[in-house]
Amino acid sequence: MKRFILLVAIMSFILIGCQKIVYKEHETVMGTVTNMKYKKSYDRLIPLRSGKVTFWARRSYPERFLVTITYNDLSETFDSRELYENVKIGDNIPMELNSGYDEDYNLITRQLNLPE
């Protein structure tokens, strides 16, 4: 019974959240660098269990160069070494703002992307 309720809840969420994007807009805007963070690489041992036997496996996580860029109330974080090395907090940089609208021209999605 719990699985059925969970399945109904998930399907309702999926069906309600599915709005079709009819119109797309792409514009160039000036975003502001609001945060920069470097995370060094590290390894972690994780247990893997096979029956009654437990093995320890090493999992490596790469270094990350996180740069947060904000435009109005929209904020995106990018993992880019090149961007991290070439900007500082407070810099204004050109960004691509992608917006998606439904058939009544109601905003469905907005996303900041790095220009190509």
Side-chain angles (χ1 to χ4, degrees):
M1 185 65 176
K2 288 182 182 179
R3 287 186 182 178
F4 177 73
I5 293 172
L6 180 62
L7 181 63
V8 169
I10 291 172
M11 292 303 293
S12 298
F13 178 74
I14 290 172
L15 293 175
I16 291 171
C18 291
Q19 293 179 336
K20 186 175 181 181
I21 295 176
V22 178
Y23 306 106
K24 292 183 180 180
E25 281 185 2
H26 306 283
E27 60 181 305
T28 301
V29 297
M30 293 303 286
T32 304
V33 177
T34 55
N35 193 12
M36 296 175 66
K37 189 172 190 176
Y38 170 73
K39 292 186 176 184
K40 66 180 184 173
S41 63
Y42 62 97
D43 293 334
R44 181 168 282 165
L45 290 176
I46 57 171
L48 297 176
R49 192 169 278 211
S50 177
K52 294 182 179 182
V53 180
T54 301
F55 300 96
W56 289 90
R58 182 178 308 276
R59 179 161 184 197
S60 296
Y61 295 89
E63 64 184 350
R64 299 181 69 194
F65 298 88
L66 303 173
V67 179
T68 302
I69 300 174
T70 304
Y71 171 73
N72 289 343
D73 61 342
L74 184 62
S75 166
E76 295 282 343
T77 301
F78 301 94
D79 185 1
S80 170
R81 182 179 191 149
E82 181 182 352
L83 183 63
Y84 184 87
E85 291 175 346
N86 292 314
V87 298
K88 59 183 184 244
I89 293 179
D91 284 354
N92 291 322
I93 58 172
M95 299 293 295
E96 186 176 303
L97 177 64
N98 298 319
S99 304
Y101 299 92
D102 65 6
E103 62 275 349
D104 297 327
Y105 216 71
N106 296 317
L107 181 65
I108 296 174
T109 182
R110 293 179 87 187
Q111 183 176 8
L112 278 176
N113 291 320
L114 292 170
E116 296 181 17

